[in-house]
Amino acid sequence: MAGNMTFTIIKPTAIKNNYAGAILKMINEAGFVIKALKFTRISKTQAAAFYAVHEGKPFFKNLIKFMSSGPIITAILEKENAIEDFRELIGATNPENAKEGTVRKLFACSMTENAVHGSDSDENAQIEADFFFNRLEIYY
Ligand code: ATP
Ligand code: MG
């Protein structure tokens, strides 16, 4: 699956606002195949571990608080050129800068509550997928 896999999280506010179905539909319609899927929630400690690369940044505390504030959906997605294509589909980190028709433009509330996460590299996609899924939970 190398190079063809990415990992996503539908973040707490998007779940709360009942956008999960619409977001998963967009993901499928963009040609991504769901290889693993989980409805779950994470503690502050787990959120801090997941976003460890941002530790010390001014927005870190808010990010951790938000990501542990309610249920999330995590998924492993497969498609050619998955990382780049998925980041194109979700749009810019700040929804104000996200292009029309992107997931963040349509469903984000703010820079923190920006609806979805998308991996930024093949290596991180693998690390993030391993953080949430064991081998039995992934359809090969
Ligand atoms: P994600 O990793 O969630 O897919 P991203 O890759 O677009 O988002 P990152 O730079 O990895 O952006 O930042 C992780 C998250 O931290 C962002 O989704 C956003 O919620 C938050 N964040 C990043 N930069 C800022 C900032 N300058 N101010 C507030 N929040 C920020
Ligand atoms: Mg990121």
Side-chain angles (χ1 to χ4, degrees):
M1 270 198 323
N4 293 339
M5 189 267 274
T6 190
F7 169 85
T8 187
I9 301 177
I10 302 178
K11 299 186 182 184
T13 322
I15 300 287
K16 204 169 153 187
N17 290 337
N18 259 345
Y19 294 148
I23 293 171
L24 287 171
K25 185 167 186 276
M26 278 182 77
I27 289 171
N28 276 153
E29 285 178 351
F32 292 88
V33 176
I34 296 171
K35 305 300 282 187
L37 189 71
K38 185 175 285 191
F39 185 77
T40 186
R41 63 180 301 163
I42 50 175
S43 67
K44 273 190 178 177
T45 307
Q46 289 165 331
F50 182 81
Y51 277 116
V53 62
H54 296 301
E55 208 173 336
K57 293 184 187 168
F59 58 84
F60 184 70
K61 252 192 160 173
N62 254 349
L63 178 64
I64 294 325
K65 193 174 162 197
F66 168 58
M67 289 303 291
S68 57
S69 68
I72 56 175
I73 287 175
T74 63
I76 298 173
L77 306 172
E78 194 176 64
K79 183 186 182 296
E80 230 173 76
N81 201 34
I83 298 288
E84 212 176 295
D85 287 2
F86 192 72
R87 290 187 71 93
E88 186 70 31
L89 177 71
I90 67 176
T93 309
N94 184 345
E96 284 177 22
N97 303 328
K99 284 189 206 153
E100 289 298 329
T102 59
V103 174
R104 282 170 168 163
K105 184 70 178 184
L106 289 165
F107 301 115
C109 308
S110 68
M111 179 87 151
T112 300
E113 303 188 22
N114 61 359
V116 283
H117 161 80
S119 305
D120 60 13
S121 65
D122 291 341
E123 191 193 358
N124 284 336
Q126 193 61 60
I127 292 169
E128 292 167 2
D130 289 343
F131 191 92
F132 281 96
F133 295 101
N134 66 48
R135 293 184 65 182
L136 271 178
E137 295 171 316
I138 302 168
Y139 178 78
Y140 292 97

